Each structure stands twice: as structure tokens, then as C-alpha cells.
Amino acid sequence: MGTFNRLHLIRQVDLFTLRLFLSAIEEQQIGRAAIRENIAASTATKRIQILEEIAGIQLLERGPKGVVPTPAGAVLARCARQIFDSLEDMRSEIASFTDGVRGDLAIASARTIFVPFLARELGDFSREYPDVDLSVHDIENADIPQHVAHGEADIGVFAVTRDLDLDGVDVTPYREDRLVALVPRNHLLSERSTVTFEDLLPENMIAVASLLPDFHAAARGIGQTFEPGFTVRSAGVAMSLVRAGLGVSVQPECLVTREALNSVAAVELAEPWAVRKIDIAVAHGRTPSPAARELIRQLLDRPREDYQPMSYF
């Protein structure tokens, strides 16, 4: 690596890369930081490598279970947080000169989207627009579009699955993540780099109800039928059953925490339908409120890159 050059750092490092670096430290995995910031894992790795080249020193220690900051990385993280704190102070002071956006805003989504994505976005939005009263509707994924169509929520964020009723809503692509197979650590499939749905069929499948239409369609596509060993509503319940050795499951990789990987293995699901598309819905023919428009703008104001599976190392 080169030597530290202050002017080079100022000219070359963007705020997004600094935020990505902080996310990698907080998530302890570059792959999960990439999911959090909605960019490809390879792009996240490259950005951090370039950051280290600019700094002229290694900033992250890489290990089989993730990453931790080096002493130099800890210094950069502290300074980066101070930069973002100053930006927040600037935003607050500038906002005091404007009337801002006001009103009520209802958002409908499912836990598998709220937890990894929307919670942080809504926190940022609430600080940006303190005069907007947010209400959150945590409902089943399949019910979200009609919840919006019937006027029970201003915005819906949902995972695209088979047989969804999209009548009465307009949709906009928001982001993507990937479904992965979860198996106990001592399972034969845990040694595989990829598995197919056909590989999982002989196993005791623990199915989250929202994914059942996709599973049935995938089974029909290979001339078989799908009979789950367990059907549950919660991804967390499915995870606990896998941990207990009661079967295998399929879940969005954004829900697979570093802690979970101590007891289960996440294996790439090599199926075209394993890329989970997440869309934003608003009521058809109804002009979104200023608050709704600002939230949608914020959700879409992220780097849009081709999705690549994350690395668990």
C-alpha cells in the first residue's frame, strides 16, 4: 500500500464509501454491509479495498467469521462517525429555515423487509422530517398491495411472489436480495457451495408460508410435488427449527445474522427464482402526498447495481 495523503483522501473518498465502511464494521461482514447499503458484494469489497489503498494502510482484519477494524480502521471509523454527526447537525440547522414536509404517513410491509431494510430507512426519514407522523403496519406480505389499494396505507413495500393481487396499485422496483438454503451445521448439504430446490425436496422442509406458492411452482417445474414438514409464518421460527435439527429451510439472506451462522449453514440456492425482488406500491390513480413522495425518493436514492450473492466470509 502507499502512504497517507490527506488531499488525496479528500478528493477521492466519497461519503457513501465511508458509510459502507462503517456498515462493514457494524455488521462484521462486508457481504451483509453490501445488503444493508443495497450494492453488490463484489462492489462493496472493491470500494473498501480502494479506501485502504487511498489510506495507505489496512483498515479491516479479514477472518473466517467476518471483519473487524484494525487500529487504523478504528481511527477512521471514529472520524467518519464525527463527519456524519456534523452532517446531521447541518441538516437540522438548515431544516430550521424551511417549513418542511408535514402530515401523516402510513407504511405497510412485512417483518422480513422491516427488519433488514425499512427500519433504518424510516429512522433516517423521521429525523429528516420530524413533522411527519409515521405509522407502521406489520402485515403478511401477500396482503400488502391490497392494504395500499384500499387506502389503509400510503405506501407498501413487499416481496414479489407468485399469485400476488396487484389490482389497484402501481409498483416501482425498490431493491433485490437473495433466498438461501439454511441447513444444520452437521448436515451433508452444509459442505456444498450451492444447492438446488430438487436437492432440498427429500429433506424435511420448514417452509415460511409466504414462500409456499414459489415452492409449489418450483416442484411442479421438475415434475414433483411439495409437501413441507413444517409450515410457519415467521422466518425466526423457521430458523429456530433448523437450529434444533428438525429440517432445512429457505429464507432471505438478509435475515441470516453472523450469530446464526454459528449454528446453521447458509448455502446459495441455485435457482432463477431465488433472487427476491422487492417493490414499492402506491394506490393507482391517487397522487402520493408530499411526505409519501419524499419517503419514496429516499428509498430509491441508493446505488442501483446488478445483484450478486453475498459472501459469508
Side-chain angles (χ1 to χ4, degrees):
M1 292 186 179
T3 57
F4 180 81
N5 184 307
R6 181 177 61 86
L7 289 178
H8 187 51
L9 184 72
I10 293 171
R11 290 169 179 163
Q12 298 298 320
V13 176
D14 58 279
L15 292 174
F16 179 75
T17 297
L18 288 179
R19 188 173 68 179
L20 176 66
F21 175 70
L22 290 178
S23 292
I25 292 174
E26 292 165 5
E27 296 288 348
Q28 298 181 303
Q29 289 179 0
I30 294 176
R32 286 189 59 81
I35 293 175
R36 177 168 162 177
E37 302 300 342
N38 198 25
I39 64 171
S42 60
T43 303
T45 299
K46 184 64 175 177
R47 279 179 175 263
I48 290 177
Q49 287 174 344
I50 292 173
L51 179 61
E52 289 180 315
E53 291 172 4
I54 293 170
I57 192 169
Q58 185 177 348
L59 300 172
L60 293 176
E61 292 280 359
R62 280 85 166 168
K65 290 190 175 181
V67 298
V68 294
T70 63
V75 171
L76 178 60
R78 172 173 54 80
C79 294
R81 291 190 179 100
Q82 291 172 349
I83 290 172
F84 286 112
D85 287 344
S86 296
L87 287 172
E88 176 60 22
D89 291 342
M90 179 179 68
R91 182 210 62 77
S92 298
E93 290 187 35
I94 291 175
S96 67
F97 294 101
T98 67
D99 291 331
V101 177
R102 303 173 184 273
D104 299 324
L105 183 60
I107 302 96
S109 193
R111 183 181 181 276
T112 59
I113 298 172
F114 271 126
V115 172
F117 303 131
L118 282 186
R120 191 174 68 127
E121 295 283 9
L122 293 178
D124 290 344
F125 181 83
S126 183
R127 286 184 287 273
E128 186 81 15
Y129 300 102
D131 294 325
V132 176
D133 292 325
L134 294 176
S135 61
V136 172
H137 300 234
D138 178 10
I139 61 178
E140 293 294 322
N141 187 77
D143 298 332
I144 294 167
Q146 290 309 300
H147 205 73
V148 174
H150 297 153
E152 298 171 67
D154 301 296
I155 296 173
V157 185
F158 64 96
V160 178
T161 60
R162 288 178 176 268
D163 306 326
L164 267 182
D165 183 3
L166 298 180
D167 187 42
V169 296
D170 296 323
V171 300
T172 302
Y174 167 38
R175 65 191 305 154
E176 294 179 350
D177 68 353
R178 191 173 184 89
L179 299 174
V180 295
L182 297 182
V183 302
R185 271 287 177 190
N186 58 356
H187 196 284
L188 287 176
L189 293 177
S190 68
E191 303 299 323
R192 301 268 295 271
S193 59
T194 65
V195 295
T196 65
F197 187 70
E198 189 170 8
D199 295 328
L200 300 176
L201 272 178
E203 307 296 330
N204 196 41
M205 283 282 288
I206 303 163
V208 179
S210 62
L211 293 174
L212 282 174
D214 295 302
F215 294 164
H216 286 299
R220 288 194 300 270
I222 56 176
Q224 299 192 44
T225 58
F226 174 65
E227 295 293 339
F230 299 93
T231 300
V232 299
R233 293 180 58 188
S234 163
V237 172
M239 176 78 75
S240 66
L241 295 177
V242 175
R243 282 175 168 166
L246 294 175
V248 303
S249 187
V250 171
Q251 289 191 21
E253 68 177 358
C254 60
L255 299 179
V256 183
T257 64
R258 186 169 182 267
E259 179 185 5
L261 292 174
N262 291 326
S263 54
V264 303
V267 185
E268 181 183 341
L269 184 59
E271 298 287 351
W273 50 269
V275 175
R276 188 175 73 144
K277 298 182 184 298
I278 302 175
D279 286 355
I280 299 170
V282 296
H284 177 67
R286 190 181 310 157
T287 302
S289 68
R293 291 198 300 271
E294 286 304 309
L295 178 58
I296 293 171
R297 179 195 59 76
Q298 175 184 304
L299 295 178
L300 299 178
D301 187 20
R302 294 288 185 267
R304 314 293 298 177
E305 309 209 27
D306 291 337
Y307 182 83
Q308 296 182 19
M310 71 179 267
S311 168
Y312 292 97
F313 302 99

